[in-house]
Amino acid sequence: MSAQNPALSGRIVKTFFYYVLPSIVGLVAITSANLIDGFFVGNTIGTDALAAITLMIPYFTLLIAIAIMLAIGGAVSVGKAIGEKDPKTANAIFSQSLIAAVVINTLLALGSLAFNDLLFEILNISAQVAILAREYFDVIRWVFILQLTTMVLYYFVRADGHPILATCALVIGAVLNIILDAWFIVYLEFGLAGAAYATAIAQVIQFLVLSRYFFSKKRTLKFELQQRNWKLLLNSAYNGISEFINEISVGIIFFILNTLMIMRLGVDGVAAFTLVNYFIFLSVMLSYGLADALHIVVSQNFGARHLNRVKSFLSIAILSTICLGIIIVALLVFWPETVLSWFTNEQDQKISRVSMQLLPLLLPLFLINGTNIVLTCYLTAIHKPKPSALIAINRSLLFPAVFLIAFYYMLPSWHLLPAAISDLSFIVALPLAEWCTFLLAAYFCYQYRPTKLKVNQTSV
């Protein structure tokens, strides 16, 4: 197995970037598609449309969180089974994860249709943007069934040694989404429904490309519809619980942020944060490109007991995320007006000014958030779901929620920042939460460092 598997036997740096580069290319394609989607929506439809999509993010993250839990938990468990040369278990986890993705997302789509008005009320979607939100959601709720099932499949295809195919599927889907956005939103003037139609068609093509995996002679995993031991799914999903917490917490934090922004600045505040959030999204996606590669190489080497390789892969991933953070900060420090102007038209200069005020408050976040993602993923890959989940819940939920609410009420009265940005000062809660998380993550990763794992294993 190791002779044919670069994750277990290839040179460390070459192997890491063999998995990282396709992942980065794919995720950059996705990120670019989302950024360009924001460009078309913001410039053609207006910032109210950006706000409408942002207000729905808490619900979308619930769907994504479930898919990520199935995908990463399953892929890591499959990677370990491959390393242990146990194809029967690997096939079962693969099949059960795909079945669960289809069933769960279908049920949630039907539920959102039945309780649409209640959902909009919970998400604080006001009458100002409700028509736009409904126009988009009426289409996208069904698209998510295919989109999130494809996401789960993508992780397994990569874990089974087909990163190039997985990346090609992502790139083709993302590029097609950009082209269709221009066609439906700009040329046909279909509005937000056009953005949803573009996503739907792009996802169909992406799934078809990714489905070539089932015809590969080199694949290890086989899909079997009939399953009995569903405990394997529960165990693999549990191993991905930290990723679920990460994603679902994003939805909760967006809900809190949206509420606070509306209370202080109205829908314009939500739109202004949406512009800045595109760059947070870029940072997170690129970091997950590194973390996805780390999942594969660490889980398989952990299963094969190649712990020196685990240490080397972890070191490269951490160094890479630090460099990535520095590059993004430099971009936002030297060219902030240029990058923010991509998503607004001449009528939205007020919102651009608010975004410019938000940006310097958030810069410290970019220096460390990628490292936190990598450290959390490392713990998942070595099958330490409890500390991984603890880091995830503090990073994504407890720290930012507590800091946001506390700073919202306290910071303006302390007069620590200039009056011009005192209404926005509570946003410093987000970078502070990341740095507090880093201290916690560094502690656990030191406790479960590869050399420590070796000691534990020899003592068993």
Side-chain angles (χ1 to χ4, degrees), residues 238-398:
Y238 176 66
N239 197 39
I241 194 68
S242 62
E243 279 67 32
F244 174 84
I245 292 171
N246 268 328
E247 290 297 326
I248 198 66
S249 298
V250 168
I252 296 172
I253 295 305
F254 259 97
F255 178 79
I256 295 172
L257 264 171
N258 291 340
T259 301
L260 297 180
M261 283 292 184
I262 288 173
M263 289 169 60
R264 187 149 288 177
L265 298 172
V267 174
D268 286 351
V270 176
F273 180 77
T274 300
L275 302 185
V276 179
N277 186 59
Y278 279 120
F279 299 96
I280 300 177
F281 175 71
L282 172 65
S283 173
V284 169
M285 292 295 280
L286 293 176
S287 298
Y288 268 114
L290 295 165
D292 286 348
L294 193 68
H295 275 135
I296 295 172
V297 294
V298 167
S299 63
Q300 294 191 31
N301 282 282
F302 177 67
R305 303 298 187 261
H306 298 165
L307 298 176
N308 286 332
R309 292 175 65 81
V310 170
K311 178 181 178 181
S312 299
F313 285 128
L314 177 61
S315 299
I316 294 174
I318 292 173
L319 179 61
S320 299
T321 56
I322 292 172
C323 293
L324 174 64
I326 293 172
I327 292 171
I328 293 177
V329 167
L331 175 69
L332 296 177
V333 166
F334 292 109
W335 299 285
E337 294 182 359
T338 300
V339 295
L340 289 176
S341 67
W342 296 342
F343 308 103
T344 55
N345 54 40
E346 294 180 357
Q347 287 73 41
D348 294 320
Q349 293 305 307
K350 175 185 175 182
I351 291 171
S352 295
R353 287 195 297 270
V354 176
S355 297
M356 285 290 293
Q357 294 170 344
L358 284 170
L359 202 53
L361 301 175
L362 289 167
L363 286 178
L365 175 148
F366 296 100
L367 294 173
I368 203 66
N369 64 339
T371 301
N372 287 336
I373 290 170
V374 162
L375 294 180
T376 305
C377 291
Y378 163 72
L379 291 169
T380 299
I382 62 170
H383 290 252
K384 300 296 180 184
K386 290 183 180 178
S388 181
L390 182 62
I391 295 169
I393 196 170
N394 278 284
R395 172 184 177 262
S396 302
L397 181 59
L398 295 182

Side-chain angles (χ1 to χ4, degrees), residues 125-313:
I125 297 177
S126 65
Q128 179 179 344
V129 296
I131 295 176
L132 290 168
R134 192 179 300 276
E135 178 184 335
Y136 182 73
F137 194 45
D138 283 347
V139 179
I140 207 68
R141 62 160 54 94
W142 308 113
V143 176
F144 267 117
I145 299 173
L146 178 62
Q147 183 173 358
L148 298 179
T149 302
T150 302
M151 179 192 296
V152 174
L153 177 60
Y154 162 81
Y155 277 89
F156 284 106
V157 170
R158 292 185 70 249
D160 195 21
H162 291 69
I164 304 300
L165 173 61
T167 300
C168 286
L170 286 185
V171 171
I172 290 172
V175 171
L176 186 59
N177 192 55
I178 292 170
I179 296 171
L180 292 172
D181 270 341
W183 177 259
F184 284 117
I185 298 175
V186 179
Y187 184 74
L188 296 181
E189 298 183 352
F190 279 8
L192 276 182
Y197 291 138
T199 301
I201 297 172
Q203 285 301 314
V204 170
I205 301 302
Q206 182 174 298
F207 176 77
L208 292 176
V209 173
L210 200 57
S211 296
R212 289 187 58 193
Y213 167 76
F214 293 104
F215 302 96
S216 172
K217 295 180 180 180
K218 297 181 180 180
R219 68 187 177 99
T220 301
L221 302 174
K222 297 180 180 179
F223 180 79
E224 299 167 348
L225 185 59
Q226 293 185 345
Q227 293 293 319
R228 294 183 179 179
N229 185 15
W230 288 91
K231 185 178 180 180
L232 291 171
L233 175 67
L234 296 178
N235 290 337
S236 67
Y238 176 66
N239 197 39
I241 194 68
S242 62
E243 279 67 32
F244 174 84
I245 292 171
N246 268 328
E247 290 297 326
I248 198 66
S249 298
V250 168
I252 296 172
I253 295 305
F254 259 97
F255 178 79
I256 295 172
L257 264 171
N258 291 340
T259 301
L260 297 180
M261 283 292 184
I262 288 173
M263 289 169 60
R264 187 149 288 177
L265 298 172
V267 174
D268 286 351
V270 176
F273 180 77
T274 300
L275 302 185
V276 179
N277 186 59
Y278 279 120
F279 299 96
I280 300 177
F281 175 71
L282 172 65
S283 173
V284 169
M285 292 295 280
L286 293 176
S287 298
Y288 268 114
L290 295 165
D292 286 348
L294 193 68
H295 275 135
I296 295 172
V297 294
V298 167
S299 63
Q300 294 191 31
N301 282 282
F302 177 67
R305 303 298 187 261
H306 298 165
L307 298 176
N308 286 332
R309 292 175 65 81
V310 170
K311 178 181 178 181
S312 299
F313 285 128

